[in-house]
Amino acid sequence: MKTHYSLWITKGHLFIDVEGQNVLLDTGSHVSIGQSPHVTFAGCRYPLVPNYECVRLEPFSDFIGQRVDVLVGMDILGKHNFLIDVEGKLLRLLKQ
């Protein structure tokens, strides 16, 4: 299982790279959205929806100025313990 992901911040938004996809971490969203049907995070494969109640990824990409392939919400993040190490530029997965 992967123990960490490279982390960067663009306009105050946290991103990680997951298999070449720019993944926006959004603790304010209860649903995960993506252009592909799934994302693999922390060794687990999770389904994604292409949009949710008029929310699509394109406006996020335009606003942030960074391609957003996946928005990971609390439906996925809430299943894992993790530490956001901004200084070290890592999202570290902690043992459950």
Side-chain angles (χ1 to χ4, degrees):
M1 179 178 82
K2 192 157 178 114
T3 59
H4 65 278
Y5 292 91
S6 297
L7 173 80
W8 71 94
I9 301 173
T10 302
K11 291 188 179 176
H13 299 276
L14 300 173
F15 283 88
I16 59 172
D17 178 298
V18 177
E19 299 176 343
Q21 298 182 74
N22 292 342
V23 176
L24 172 63
L25 303 176
D26 189 349
T27 59
S29 177
H30 64 278
V31 65
S32 295
I33 303 169
Q35 297 173 0
S36 61
H38 69 274
V39 66
T40 300
F41 179 77
C44 300
R45 187 173 166 151
Y46 294 100
L48 299 171
V49 296
N51 57 54
Y52 181 76
E53 293 183 8
C54 301
V55 175
R56 299 180 344 241
L57 294 178
E58 293 83 8
F60 286 99
S61 296
D62 293 342
F63 176 75
I64 297 169
Q66 168 80 56
R67 188 184 84 242
V68 178
D69 300 312
V70 176
L71 180 150
V72 170
M74 289 306 293
D75 57 330
I76 294 174
L77 293 174
K79 295 178 178 169
H80 302 277
N81 294 321
F82 58 91
L83 171 71
I84 297 172
D85 180 358
V86 175
E87 195 171 290
K89 297 183 179 181
L90 290 174
L91 180 135
R92 298 178 189 275
L93 296 165
L94 307 173
K95 291 184 180 180
Q96 301 269 358

